[in-house]
Amino acid sequence: MTMAILGSALFFVAAPSVVAGLIPWWITRWEFLPPFFDLQATRVVGILLIVAGLPGLVDSFARFALQGLGTPAPIAPTRNLVVTGLYRYVRNPIYVAVVAVILGQAILFGDWRLMTYGGFMWLAFHAFVLTYEEPVLAERFGTQYEDFRANVPRWIPRLSPWRTA
């Protein structure tokens, strides 16, 4: 379990911290531009997306290490399929959280470049999920994954938590 925790922590620094932190900073230098649609209230939406995304991201990484006994990185996958926490609502909470943080920053700073980057990141995540992640999980976890996939949506969260049989 120690290796899973260390691996997840390292991958957290290497992937989402770069994708949702360093690159957005590089694009915006975190400088405020005029708010979208000249509405200061849009900045609150940005803050809410960031505040919602960060804890979900940390929780999902912790579940990979502690329950899955692995990492979100394809080179060190989990031994167990993680279907607790936010995974009861949406199959890809890490990707959803990362995109929420990126789009939250875009809205907070009023930066269309970052909004475009967030859209491209979602497209990249979607392509990765369809072409690699879902086929690998289906092969690795079989009917357990198929049951999960049949009951939990890929991107738009369920309103009530899924309970495994």
Side-chain angles (χ1 to χ4, degrees):
M1 184 181 313
T2 303
M3 291 306 291
I5 293 169
L6 290 174
S8 284
L10 179 62
F11 189 66
F12 186 88
V13 171
S17 295
V18 170
V19 171
L22 184 61
I23 294 173
W25 173 82
W26 180 74
I27 292 170
T28 66
R29 297 292 194 252
W30 288 335
E31 293 177 13
F32 287 91
L33 299 176
F36 289 144
F37 313 113
D38 285 328
L39 296 171
Q40 286 294 332
T42 60
R43 298 197 198 276
V44 174
V45 173
I47 291 168
L48 291 174
L49 283 169
I50 295 166
V51 168
L54 288 175
L57 187 60
V58 171
D59 178 73
S60 296
F61 266 77
R63 287 179 190 282
F64 264 70
L66 300 174
Q67 294 172 352
L69 302 176
T71 75
I75 62 169
T78 61
R79 285 189 247 159
N80 305 313
L81 182 64
V82 178
V83 294
T84 61
L86 292 176
Y87 290 91
R88 297 181 319 156
Y89 295 90
V90 65
R91 286 199 314 261
N92 299 294
I94 290 175
Y95 301 137
V96 170
V98 166
V99 171
V101 169
I102 293 168
L103 296 180
Q105 290 174 83
I107 295 168
L108 174 64
F109 296 118
D111 197 311
W112 286 104
R113 297 169 302 164
L114 199 50
M115 187 69 74
T116 301
Y117 168 69
F120 280 128
M121 286 311 306
W122 178 81
L123 284 172
F125 291 150
H126 186 64
F128 179 75
V129 164
L130 291 178
T131 62
Y132 175 79
E133 193 169 271
E134 287 183 352
V136 167
L137 290 172
E139 184 177 316
R140 183 177 179 112
F141 296 109
T143 56
Q144 183 187 14
Y145 180 70
E146 291 305 326
D147 189 34
F148 175 61
R149 187 158 74 173
N151 288 285
V152 179
R154 185 183 288 133
W155 300 117
I156 307 297
R158 296 168 50 108
L159 294 178
S160 61
W162 175 61
R163 303 198 193 295
T164 61

